[in-house]
């Protein structure tokens, strides 16, 4: 049966590990990712994240901003021992109320993007533990949470400030040891936002089209959680393995089916610009900041970057109701793999 109780004040420990914590595994990480976007448009898309890696005495983070023509990528890193655990580089955060309210600020930086935001939960959080045995590598075991919310505050790009009051934002929290080593064919992290609910799941399939991992829930704004027990997909990728459009069918523990269409043509969200090509946790010393940008003219795509992972801001359709949110996807670069629909 689905969970029906409110889980805003859940047992998930929302605050990050404090600097100096002892007894942690060498590969331990503690991090979060937020996104920010209008409820009724596909631009701009803002994705930002922060992580700490105690064994490496490192914290790092990123900000990725996509509009109709360009993706801006800001990355920063510093020594964990030089921080108080509330940020790094131009970014700072405060967990004002665990699982309910976060305050997030980005100061001046080479990307000319700044923000001063308060994120408030609009649904309960789904959370659990991901555990996967990896051939020839350490086991993956980490706590995982995602949750939908709305923002108040301001976003400033190239000196122009706008209000983001009411914009959607999904967050993802994870901590533990993650070593997902090889063999993956399809990866989806899906966060479709509608006025009364959020559909969120993580799906991973092997190159042989077997399911490796499925977790998630339909999170209702009235406080109900309905765990997801099955997902089917019929997606259209172009020659560069970039998603263009498609449908997913979600089945919940209570027996409800949701068939959701997605338009992924907006472009941007290439997470190589956020350091997802194996760069997180790299020891770069104190006060390291770097910036670059990608033109969104097709010359930069999942086939040209060091990571195919893409967080695409999409418009969604659920029985005629319009929504928006992030459809994160990646296909393996192995040419022996061909995408196979499951619905």
């Amino acid at each position: 049966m689905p969970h029906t109780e409110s889980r805003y004040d859940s047992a998930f420990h929302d605050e990050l590990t404090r600097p100096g914590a002892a007894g942690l595994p060498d590969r331990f990480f503690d991090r979060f990712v937020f996104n920010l976007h209008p409820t009724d448009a596909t631009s701009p898309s803002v994705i930002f994240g922060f992580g700490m890696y105690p064994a490496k005495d490192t914290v790092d983070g990123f900000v990725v901003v996509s509009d109709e023509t360009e993706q801006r990528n800001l990355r920063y890193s510093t020594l964990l021992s030089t921080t108080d655990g509330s940020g790094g580089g131009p970014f700072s955060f405060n967990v004002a109320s665990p699982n309910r309210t976060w305050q997030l600020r980005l100061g001046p930086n080479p990307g000319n993007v700044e923000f001063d935001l308060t994120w408030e939960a609009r649904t309960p959080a789904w959370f659990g533990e991901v555990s996967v045995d990896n051939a020839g590598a350490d086991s993956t075991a980490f706590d995982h949470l995602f949750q939908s919310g709305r923002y108040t505050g301001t976003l400033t790009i190239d000196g122009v400030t706008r209000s983001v009051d009411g914009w959607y934002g999904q967050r993802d929290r994870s901590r533990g040891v993650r070593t997902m080593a090889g063999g993956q064919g399809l990866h989806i992290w899906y966060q479709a936002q509608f006025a009364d609910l959020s559909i969120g799941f993580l799906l991973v399939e092997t190159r042989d089209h077997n399911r490796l991992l499925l977790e998630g829930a339909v999170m209702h704004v009235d406080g109900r959680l309905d765990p997801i027990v099955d997902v089917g997909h019929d997606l259209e990728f172009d020659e560069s393995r970039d998603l263009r459009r498609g449908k997913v069918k979600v089945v919940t523990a209570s027996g409800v089916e949701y068939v959701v269409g997605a338009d992924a043509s907006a472009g941007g969200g290439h997470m190589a610009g956020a350091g997802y090509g194996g760069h997180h946790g790299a020891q770069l010393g104190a006060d390291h900041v770097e910036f670059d940008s990608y033109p969104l003219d097709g010359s930069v795509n999942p086939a040209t970057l060091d990571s195919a992972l893409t967080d695409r801001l999409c418009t969604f359709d659920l029985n005629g109701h319009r929504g928006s949110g992030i459809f994160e996807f990646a296909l393996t670069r192995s040419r022996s793999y061909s995408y196979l629909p499951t619905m």
Side-chain angles (χ1 to χ4, degrees):
M1 293 293 293
H3 297 284
T4 57
E5 75 274 13
S6 174
R7 296 174 73 183
Y8 287 89
D9 297 314
S10 72
F12 186 86
H13 182 73
D14 213 14
E15 298 92 340
L16 272 72
T17 304
R18 304 304 300 174
L24 299 173
D26 287 345
R27 293 179 177 271
F28 179 87
F29 69 88
D30 198 351
R31 63 180 178 233
F32 59 78
V33 176
F34 282 81
N35 53 65
L36 165 69
H37 56 85
T39 60
D40 58 355
T42 53
S43 177
S45 169
V46 182
I47 304 167
F48 56 94
F50 175 86
M52 56 176 57
Y53 310 85
K56 297 181 180 180
D57 190 24
T58 295
V59 298
D60 59 21
F62 65 87
V63 182
V64 170
V65 181
S66 302
D67 60 19
E68 294 87 352
T69 61
E70 181 187 38
Q71 176 178 316
R72 306 184 190 198
N73 308 308
L74 175 73
R75 297 174 296 276
Y76 58 87
S77 177
T78 194
L79 301 176
L80 174 60
S81 57
T82 66
T83 77
D84 63 2
S86 65
F91 177 74
S92 62
F93 68 92
N94 175 48
V95 185
S97 179
N99 302 299
R100 285 180 177 266
T101 307
W102 285 57
Q103 296 164 332
L104 307 142
R105 296 181 178 86
L106 181 68
N109 61 81
N112 291 323
V113 176
E114 301 179 38
F115 52 68
D116 189 349
L117 307 171
T118 298
W119 179 92
E120 296 277 356
R122 75 182 188 103
T123 71
W126 179 92
F127 69 96
E129 182 181 3
V130 176
S131 181
V132 178
D133 291 329
N134 301 301
D138 294 338
S139 294
T140 287
F142 62 92
D143 295 328
H144 193 203
L145 170 151
F146 37 78
Q147 185 177 25
S148 176
R150 289 189 187 269
Y151 288 97
T152 56
T154 57
L155 170 68
T156 302
I157 300 177
D158 293 332
V160 178
T161 299
R162 73 184 84 182
S163 170
V164 299
D165 291 359
W167 287 22
Y168 281 146
Q170 301 82 55
R171 72 182 186 112
D172 184 296
R173 283 281 288 112
S174 54
R175 76 162 58 83
V177 176
R178 183 169 186 167
T179 314
M180 302 284 276
Q184 299 179 57
L186 171 69
H187 166 101
I188 297 174
W189 180 80
Y190 187 89
Q191 302 291 326
Q193 310 302 310
F194 298 93
D196 57 346
L197 57 84
S198 170
I199 301 173
F201 64 83
L202 173 64
L203 171 69
V204 182
E205 295 179 357
T206 68
R207 294 177 186 175
D208 296 327
H209 308 290
N210 295 312
R211 182 175 296 168
L212 182 64
L213 175 67
L214 173 63
E215 56 167 15
V218 177
M219 298 159 278
H220 295 261
V221 297
D222 64 9
R224 290 178 294 131
L225 284 173
D226 196 356
I228 291 171
V229 297
D230 194 24
V231 169
H233 49 80
D234 186 1
L235 308 175
E236 181 180 328
F237 295 90
D238 65 18
E239 63 279 359
S240 66
R241 304 200 172 193
D242 198 352
L243 179 67
R244 309 314 300 166
R245 62 189 60 83
K247 292 183 179 181
V248 302
K249 181 175 73 172
V250 171
V251 181
T252 68
S254 67
V256 180
E257 291 187 0
Y258 301 84
V259 178
V260 186
D263 180 347
S265 61
H270 302 296
M271 298 306 281
Y276 275 77
H279 306 289
H280 291 163
Q283 296 171 304
L284 301 175
D287 303 324
H288 179 85
V289 178
E290 57 189 37
F291 170 77
D292 54 34
S293 63
Y294 303 152
L296 297 181
D297 57 4
S299 61
V300 175
N301 57 63
T304 67
L305 296 165
D306 67 359
S307 172
L309 191 70
T310 304
D311 278 29
R312 181 65 43 76
L313 177 56
C314 294
T315 56
F316 294 105
D317 180 83
L318 174 60
N319 298 325
H321 297 283
R322 181 182 171 97
S324 60
I326 298 297
F327 193 144
E328 179 183 276
F329 61 90
L331 294 179
T332 176
R333 297 175 190 272
S334 171
R335 289 298 169 181
S336 65
Y337 172 88
S338 296
Y339 168 73
L340 180 66
T342 60
M343 62 176 287

